[in-house]
Amino acid sequence: MSSIPYVSDDLLPEGTSTYSTATVAKGLGVSQTKVLQLLRDHHLIAVRRGGDMHVPRLFFGEVDGAFSVAKHLTGLLSVLRDGGFHDDEIMRWMFQPLDDLDGCPAELLHTDSAREVIRRAQSMAF
């Protein structure tokens, strides 16, 4: 297993806010090595931006500077990977608007529509 996790190209829409892995580590209260492990274990997904790895802010909840990974993110990533999607495809889909749900999957993870997003991901398999 590689010690460097795969990081997709920066496929995020213009203006999408991200956190560096150092900021993620600080916000989660873990080492930067642990964040890299989360990426290797596919619990998070990142893009390369300006030569560094960045994770979209929408993948986290934040309260008083402390982060938590969005409740359904890890499960959604697993469903998409199990369905045959690669990281670049996952990142694109996560930020593609779902018109009938008023938002993109990354935004909808923080709403009552999160389970519907996962259901749609399951239906797209292969």
Side-chain angles (χ1 to χ4, degrees):
M1 173 168 67
S2 172
S3 62
I4 300 172
Y6 175 78
V7 180
S8 76
D9 293 329
D10 192 350
L11 304 168
L12 300 173
E14 181 96 17
T16 301
S17 295
T18 61
Y19 292 124
S20 68
T21 54
T23 302
V24 170
K26 183 177 179 185
L28 291 175
V30 300
S31 69
Q32 199 163 352
T33 303
K34 176 64 176 172
V35 173
L36 295 177
Q37 185 66 44
L38 292 170
L39 289 165
R40 271 191 301 276
D41 292 344
H42 306 293
H43 296 288
L44 289 175
I45 187 170
V47 296
R48 186 154 312 276
R49 186 174 269 185
D52 295 320
M53 288 183 280
H54 286 257
V55 182
R57 287 185 180 206
L58 283 173
F59 293 171
F60 301 95
E62 183 178 352
V63 176
D64 297 328
F67 298 174
S68 61
V69 177
K71 181 178 178 181
H72 299 285
L73 177 65
T74 302
L76 178 59
L77 293 176
S78 292
V79 164
L80 290 165
R81 282 195 180 94
D82 290 349
F85 286 82
H86 299 285
D87 286 359
D88 290 345
E89 296 167 314
I90 292 170
M91 194 63 81
R92 260 189 226 102
W93 185 78
M94 292 290 289
F95 289 90
Q96 183 177 2
L98 301 174
D99 296 330
D100 58 327
L101 290 178
D102 280 336
C104 66
E107 295 168 330
L108 296 169
L109 286 174
H110 301 280
T111 71
D112 292 335
S113 297
R115 291 189 194 279
E116 175 62 16
V117 169
I118 292 170
R119 189 196 66 71
R120 288 184 187 199
Q122 289 170 328
S123 72
M124 295 183 334
F126 301 95

